[in-house]
Amino acid sequence: MPQGAAAGEAAAAGAASPAAPPAHIEIDDLCQTFRRAGMVTQALDGVDLLVAPSELVVVVGPSGCGKSTLLRIAAGLLPFTSGRVRIGGRDVTGPQTELGIVFQSPVLLDWRNVLENVLIQVELRGMDPRRYRERAERLLADVGLGDFQDRRPRELSGGMRQRVAIVRALIHDPPLLMMDEPFGALDALTREQMRIDLEKLWLAQRHTLIFVTHGIAEAVALADRVVVMTPRPGRIERIIPIDLPRPRDKAAVTSARFTEYVDEITECFMRYGVIRY
Amino acid sequence: MTAPDLPAAAPPAGGSVPAWIRKRGGAIVIAIALLLLWEVGVRLLGIKEYLLPPPSRIWLEFAKRSGTVMGGAWVTTQEILGGYVLAVLVSIPFALAVTYSRFMENAVYPVVVFLQIVPKIAIAPLFIIWFGFGYTPKLLIVFLLSFFPIVVSSIAGFKAVDPEIMDFARTTGAGGWKLFARIRLPQALPDIFTGMKVGAALSATAAIVAEFVASDRGLGYLLLQYNGNLDTPMVFAVIFLLSFIGLAVYYTVEFIERITIPWHVSQTNAGQAPL
Ligand SMILES: Nc1ncnc2c1ncn2[C@@H]1O[C@H](COP(=O)(O)OP(=O)(O)OP(=O)(O)O)[C@@H](O)[C@H]1O
Ligand SMILES: [Mg+2]
């Protein structure tokens, strides 16, 4: 659902227009500077972004440009230097709980098996894990972990762990999902399948989804809009609405339009010297 | 649950008895071989008994006077257990307090760390002055020696939560108690057990030293008596007995660890298996 206001070929998205439909996430002139042991790192520099409810926004950018920082700030896990961040119309001042989050690394609990690692989400929320067991089993089966529910994280491959983390973020059916390179540890084949499954899931559930990735093709294949970030200090270089039919099947991801979008983003990165041929 | 792609999976958690023999069998064989070598060597070289008695002689002497020695062993065991259990009971809540309270961390913990530098054995004579010859000073010295390793590693354990796990947990809105019970405590347990094992290993030493300083019973007392009489076989008997007590305490803790945190134990064992 591309929203009217912030988009276009013009450079960074314009300031939030007051006429825009109520956004799920509103980020306004967000700056983030890390100071540590005398070292000053400017991670984000004036980021403006509106994400509409049920929108699937993908953030791409070079390593170290502040993508994870942006997500962590939006989730209320990191205090920010200046700017304004709102979720559901409320200012983000502390950890947000109306969401499911997948971090760049799986961060599972070693002492719990796969099923228990998924159910920790509902346990910590004070909900009855028994009522979520069936759903957890189904979701695990969906991501190909049906036979691994009793295993401990150490017994899984990196990709399998990340899939557990994804299921953990989905189990309580949150209205907002944040995923920080969730497929980073997956092989190309599983990755493509996960991308397809995630789209299916999103089409069925229509949660708002912010997805961070390095993969340009992956971004185009998934997104309603692709947010292209510059190298550090991260700014939004442009926001590209992806006008491709869903579900993005084989025809869609091999179409000429698809390739044009990929080229457009690639050229952005070439201009910044992120990609050199 | 079936796992078609991992047919040769090792037995999960714990480990069976044959596996234990396979793991420790070598050590047992070596121990027996050393004892044999000792026995034969001492006899062939004609080494005097008061210098190095053969193991068989140690065993015979011990059998003859086992009543006295086992009585002493019981006394010492009580000191070890009393002091050690007290150390565990005090150090873990203390570690919690240091983890959760700024004041404890900033004001009390540095003092404790400083006190740790004090050679605790050197305090033993003081304890005799304060508490006399009985059970109390021994218990306190055992407590003192095993307290610090448990505190230090428990604090490390409580503090070492993966920040990303904490980030995840914060997005669930869970409160302090739940975070503690579901995340902080379980992930600190391996460190706590490490400290408890170090403490256990120190506790036997502590009890003996305490008895050396002043006592009229216990293995440390007997050891000095036998030593004074150049009764070397009995000196060795006491040393062996002490080692067994130390081992028993250590392995009891390890056993508890095994049933408390099988996920961690099996994981470290899995790492060793191929060697
Ligand atoms: N806690 C922190 N303290 C100091 N600097 C930080 C901290 N977190 C991030 N940074 C810095 O901020 C910049 C952005 O980091 P961030 O993790 O957001 O990048 P990223 O875009 O997610 O990169 P990647 O794609 O490699 O994951 C980096 O230069 C990093 O060094
Ligand atoms: Mg990152």
Side-chain angles (χ1 to χ4, degrees), chain A residues 34 36 41 43 62-69 104 181 214 232:
Chain A
F34 290 106
R36 184 150 302 176
T41 314
S63 182
C65 75
K67 305 182 296 297
S68 299
T69 304
Q104 208 164 339
E181 297 187 39
H214 282 133
R232 198 183 58 238

Side-chain angles (χ1 to χ4, degrees), chain B residues 69-80 135 211 217-219:
Chain B
V69 181
M70 291 312 275
W74 175 234
V75 170
T76 306
T77 305
Q78 282 174 303
E79 294 164 2
I80 292 173
Y135 181 58
E211 290 179 352
R217 73 193 78 163
L219 286 180

Side-chain angles (χ1 to χ4, degrees), chain A residues 9-74:
Chain A
E9 296 287 348
S17 115
H24 196 157
I25 304 177
E26 298 164 73
I27 296 170
D28 199 3
D29 196 22
L30 175 66
C31 298
Q32 175 68 359
T33 309
F34 290 106
R35 279 168 224 281
R36 184 150 302 176
M39 298 270 292
V40 176
T41 314
Q42 185 161 24
L44 296 173
D45 182 16
V47 170
D48 296 307
L49 180 65
L50 291 178
V51 180
S54 298
E55 195 182 15
L56 202 173
V57 166
V58 177
V59 180
V60 277
S63 182
C65 75
K67 305 182 296 297
S68 299
T69 304
L70 181 62
L71 272 201
R72 286 164 50 75
I73 289 174

